[in-house]
Amino acid sequence: MILQPVSASFFELPTQELAQALLGMVLVKTTRDGTASGWIVETESYIGPEDRAAHSYGNRRTPRTEVMFGPAGHAYTYEMHTHCLLNVVSGRVNQPEVVLIRAIEPYTGIHLMRERRGPGKTDRELTNGPGKLTKALGITKADYGHPLFEEPLYIASGKHIDSIAIGPRIGIDNSGDAKHYPWRYWEHQNPFVSKPVTNVTEIRYM
DNA sequence: CGCAGGATCCGCT
DNA sequence: GCGGATCCTGCGA
């Protein structure tokens, strides 16, 4: 199987387009234990500075958000409770926009994912959430700022997506009007998404 | 230095 | 569905 990093220019799309273009692409991580990967099936856009749900809301610039102000295609990892979440930096320099990877469908290295996630899990349960997929792939805060077009953590070309479902983002209830923005994208009817049954604003056939 | 607040997960009801 | 675990970050004192 051939998994090759995309070029850096792949990430130079408007953020809402990038969030959809990432669906079907493969997220790959190699550690000394081996390589694990999965098809991206669910993403969300965060568009600072106007997006109240974004960490970069109001152009807030801190050590944590710093990478968001840099060039597209780099990893914005951060800790949430006891979990690590992975974002793809998007937008131009000084436009702090990102795409959150919310779920993947396991592709290669499933035995590695199972070791990392613990026993008694179905394939679906390995990676159907933003904190779960980072643990399954071995992605940590140490990957902060890593270019996602280079080993050992990168995006590769994957499969074609027939239809994309669009709806409000998950878990941002305390964000005013922003909680209603339809900036969550997932592969329509793919069972590996974090919440298969949710409000659908639109279905887009590709 | 202390404290409040999460882009979550898991287990229990 | 709901609540607790658990810990890093940002901000104010």
Side-chain angles (χ1 to χ4, degrees):
Chain A
M1 74 202 47
I2 302 170
L3 291 175
Q4 269 198 324
V6 295
S7 66
S9 60
F10 166 77
F11 301 95
E12 296 172 3
L13 285 168
T15 299
Q16 305 296 358
E17 291 179 29
L18 180 64
Q20 296 171 73
L22 282 167
L23 296 177
M25 305 287 281
V26 183
L27 177 64
V28 187
K29 172 76 194 258
T30 300
T31 70
R32 59 187 165 186
D33 294 326
T35 298
S37 68
W39 289 286
I40 296 170
V41 297
E42 179 182 354
T43 61
E44 284 178 359
S45 298
Y46 288 84
I47 312 289
E50 291 83 16
D51 179 3
R52 195 172 147 188
H55 296 153
S56 52
Y57 177 59
N59 271 322
R60 184 165 62 169
R61 193 162 184 159
T62 67
R64 182 177 67 154
T65 64
E66 184 61 31
V67 73
M68 299 170 71
F69 291 82
H74 294 250
Y76 168 44
T77 52
Y78 79 98
E79 300 261 351
M80 158 63 159
H81 294 267
T82 55
H83 308 283
C84 178
L85 275 60
L86 171 67
N87 295 256
V88 178
V89 172
S90 141
R92 306 176 75 86
V93 171
N94 287 327
Q95 293 177 339
E97 307 178 0
V98 300
V99 176
L100 170 68
I101 309 297
R102 279 197 58 88
I104 65 173
E105 176 179 344
Y107 180 22
T108 68
I110 297 181
H111 62 288
L112 279 178
M113 302 190 204
R114 188 154 274 119
E115 283 173 21
R116 291 164 175 153
R117 289 278 293 131
K121 301 224 170 22
T122 64
D123 283 4
R124 171 171 190 274
E125 290 168 327
L126 294 175
T127 56
N128 66 336
K132 299 177 189 177
L133 73 91
T134 54
K135 187 171 183 187
L137 292 186
I139 296 168
T140 70
K141 200 173 67 170
D143 291 306
Y144 181 93
H146 178 80
L148 293 167
F149 40 87
E150 292 178 9
E151 294 272 10
L153 171 62
Y154 62 91
I155 305 287
S157 293
K159 61 184 178 185
H160 176 75
I161 300 296
D162 292 322
S163 55
I164 295 175
I166 306 175
R169 294 172 292 180
I170 305 285
I172 54 164
D173 290 344
N174 197 15
S175 301
D177 289 341
K179 71 179 281 190
H180 303 297
Y181 300 168
W183 289 354
R184 173 181 178 232
Y185 306 90
W186 66 100
E187 182 181 8
H188 185 43
Q189 295 185 326
N190 185 304
F192 291 86
V193 303
S194 64
K195 303 205 172 183
V197 182
T198 43
N199 290 336
V200 178
T201 304
E202 176 189 349
I203 296 175
R204 189 166 294 170
Y205 297 94
M206 312 303 287

